[in-house]
C-alpha cells in the first residue's frame, strides 16, 4: 500500500511538471495551531485594512478541514514567474509606470487554475478520490501550506521563498480525500538578512514576518478604493500596480531562472513599460482594451488612473500637466482629487489658476481638501467640517 501511494505521488508530480508547475509537495490537511493564532492576531491588529473578506472567513482560512471536512491531504504546487528583466529597471524612468512582474502577462488566476484542474482531473482518473482546487480567491492559507509541503518558507516579507525559485512562485492547492504521505516541511533560511524589510518604500513591515497591509504599495494600488493616504504618495514613486521591491530584493532570487517561468507570464510590451501619458488618457473602453486578459482588469479604470496620477505627480515631468489638468473634470471624485494633488506637484502656477475656477464648483469633501492643501490658512477649518 505504501509503495502504491509513493508511485501515485511520483506520477502526480510528473504530471504536475507537464502542466508547467516547477514546485511540488504534499501538506497535511491540518495546519499547526500557531498559524491560526498568527492570523487571528494580524486581523485583530487591523493591519488587513479594507480586506474584509480576510476577516469574514477567518475560521475557514485557519485550517483546510474547516473549509472542507473531508480533505485528508493538500497537494501544493508552485508555478514560476521569475522575470528575465530587472524589476527595478523603471525605477529611474519616472514618466513610465511600474507594474508588478506578476501582472505583466496573462492573468495568473486563469493560467494556474487551468493547470490545477487538469492535474486534479488526472488524479481523480488514477485514484478513487474527490478533489477541490484553489488559486488565491478562496479562504486558503497557501503560503503556510506551501511551507508545510516543503516548497519553501515564509520569508520576512511574508511571501514564500524557495531555494530554487526565489520569491517568484504562484501557488495553487489541490485538496483531496486521498491520504497521501506528507513532504518534509520547509526550513526558514532568511537568517539575519533584512533586505526585503530595508527596501520597502513605505515601511510596511512593523517587524520581520509581519506586514501592515494598509501601508503596503500593493494594497494601496490594488485593494484600496479611496484616495491614497498623503504619507504614502511620495514613497509610491512610479508604482502604479503592485510593488515588487521586497520580492526583488531577496538574495535567493539569484537561483531563480527566468526560463523556468511559464511562457504565459512573459510580459506584454504595453504592460512592461507603460507611458503615464497614455494611461492618463484612458477611458473605460480604453482601460478594458489595454488590460484585457490581465489581472489588472479587476481593479477598474478609476483606480488605475488614480495610481497613475500619483506617479505623474512624482515624475516632475511638466509635459504631463495637460493630461493631469483634463482629469480635474473626471466624473470620479477620487480621480479628480488625485489630479489636484498631481497638478500641485507639477505646476504651482497652473494649480492656483485652476483652483480659482474650480474650487467654488466642487462639492466632494475629499476633493475640496485636496484643493486646500497648498499652504492655505483655511485648510484646517475645512478639514474640521
Amino acid at each position: 500500500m505504501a509503495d502504491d501511494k509513493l508511485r501515485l505521488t511520483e506520477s502526480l508530480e510528473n504530471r504536475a511538471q507537464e502542466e508547467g508547475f516547477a514546485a511540488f509537495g504534499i501538506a497535511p490537511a491540518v495546519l499547526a495551531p500557531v498559524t491560526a493564532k498568527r492570523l487571528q492576531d494580524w486581523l485583530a491588529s487591523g493591519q488587513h485594512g479594507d480586506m474584509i473578506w480576510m476577516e469574514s472567513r477567518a475560521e475557514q482560512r485557519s485550517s483546510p478541514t474547516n473549509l472542507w471536512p473531508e480533505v485528508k491531504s493538500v497537494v501544493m504546487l508552485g508555478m514560476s514567474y521569475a522575470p528575465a528583466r530587472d524589476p527595478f529597471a523603471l525605477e529611474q524612468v519616472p514618466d513610465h509606470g511600474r507594474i508588478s512582474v506578476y501582472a505583466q502577462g496573462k492573468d495568473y488566476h486563469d493560467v494556474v487554475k487551468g493547470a490545477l484542474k487538469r492535474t486534479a482531473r488526472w488524479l481523480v482518473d488514477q485514484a478513487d478520490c474527490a478533489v477541490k482546487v484553489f488559486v488565491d480567491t478562496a479562504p486558503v492559507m497557501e503560503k503556510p501550506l506551501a511551507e508545510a509541503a516543503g516548497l519553501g518558507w515564509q520569508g520576512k516579507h511574508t511571501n514564500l521563498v524557495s531555494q530554487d525559485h526565489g520569491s517568484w512562485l504562484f501557488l495553487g492547492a489541490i485538496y483531496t480525500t486521498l491520504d497521501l504521505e506528507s513532504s518534509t516541511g520547509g526550513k526558514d533560511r532568511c537568517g539575519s538578512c533584512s533586505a526585503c524589510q530595508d527596501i520597502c518604500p513605505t515601511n510596511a513591515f512593523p517587524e520581520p514576518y509581519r506586514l501592515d497591509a494598509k501601508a503596503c504599495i500593493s494594497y494601496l494600488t490594488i485593494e484600496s478604493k479611496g484616495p491614497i493616504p498623503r504619507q504614502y504618495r511620495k514613497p509610491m514613486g512610479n508604482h502604479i500596480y503592485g510593488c515588487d521591491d521586497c520580492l526583488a530584493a531577496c538574495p535567493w532570487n539569484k537561483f531563480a531562472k527566468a526560463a523556468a517561468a511559464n511562457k504565459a507570464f512573459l510580459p506584454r510590451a504595453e504592460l512592461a513599460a507603460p507611458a503615464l501619458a497614455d494611461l492618463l488618457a484612458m477611458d473605460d473602453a480604453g482601460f478594458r482594451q489595454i488590460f484585457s486578459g490581465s489581472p489588472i482588469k479587476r481593479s477598474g479604470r478609476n483606480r488605475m488612473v488614480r495610481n497613475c496620477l500619483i506617479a505623474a505627480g512624482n515624475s516632475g515631468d511638466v509635459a504631463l500637466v495637460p493630461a493631469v489638468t483634463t482629469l480635474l473634470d473626471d466624473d470620479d471624485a477620487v480621480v479628480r482629487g488625485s489630479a489636484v494633488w498631481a497638478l500641485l506637484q507639477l505646476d504651482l502656477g497652473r494649480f492656483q489658476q485652476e483652483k480659482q475656477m474650480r474650487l467654488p464648483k466642487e462639492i466632494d469633501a475629499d476633493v475640496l481638501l485636496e484643493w486646500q492643501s497648498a499652504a492655505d490658512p483655511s485648510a484646517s477649518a475645512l478639514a474640521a467640517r
Side-chain angles (χ1 to χ4, degrees), residues 274-348:
L276 291 176
D278 294 337
L279 297 181
L280 290 172
M282 291 185 304
D283 57 12
D284 284 327
F287 172 83
R288 289 193 296 272
Q289 181 178 4
I290 292 172
F291 297 108
S292 174
S294 161
I296 299 173
K297 66 181 182 292
R298 292 181 175 83
S299 68
R301 174 262 180 189
N302 294 342
R303 213 173 304 180
M304 174 55 75
V305 172
R306 173 203 64 182
N307 299 341
C308 291
L309 283 164
I310 301 302
N314 289 329
S315 72
D317 185 0
V318 294
L320 294 173
V321 167
V324 169
T325 303
T326 297
L327 291 166
L328 295 172
D329 294 317
D330 199 83
D331 291 338
D332 184 76
V334 174
V335 170
R336 290 200 307 277
S338 302
V340 173
W341 183 85
L343 183 59
L344 174 59
Q345 311 310 306
L346 294 173
D347 190 335
L348 179 58

Side-chain angles (χ1 to χ4, degrees), residues 74-188:
V74 179
V75 182
M76 288 303 303
L77 297 160
M79 194 173 282
S80 173
Y81 67 104
R85 183 186 184 193
D86 180 6
F88 293 108
L90 293 178
E91 187 176 20
Q92 303 302 321
V93 188
D95 62 340
H96 283 63
R98 294 171 68 186
I99 291 175
S100 272
V101 169
Y102 85 86
Q104 293 179 20
K106 290 184 179 179
D107 191 337
Y108 73 95
H109 296 91
D110 300 334
V111 177
V112 177
K113 194 159 193 175
L116 271 182
K117 284 182 174 180
R118 291 188 294 272
T119 305
R121 192 176 301 120
W122 178 93
L123 181 60
V124 171
D125 289 342
Q126 301 299 311
D128 183 17
C129 67
V131 297
K132 293 182 183 291
V133 301
F134 303 104
V135 183
D136 197 28
T137 55
V140 174
M141 297 187 74
E142 291 99 341
K143 289 176 283 189
L145 283 168
E147 181 173 321
L151 271 63
W153 67 95
Q154 275 193 269
K156 292 178 181 178
H157 53 21
T158 74
N159 290 285
L160 192 80
V161 183
S162 161
Q163 287 183 268
D164 298 319
H165 307 288
S167 289
W168 309 114
L169 281 178
F170 289 129
L171 299 176
I174 301 175
Y175 283 24
T176 176
T177 53
L178 288 173
D179 186 11
L180 300 172
E181 187 73 25
S182 295
S183 307
T184 302
K187 179 182 178 182
D188 189 335

Side-chain angles (χ1 to χ4, degrees), residues 28-41:
V30 180
L31 285 169
V34 66
T35 303
K37 179 65 165 55
R38 287 173 182 164
L39 174 63
Q40 292 165 1
D41 290 346

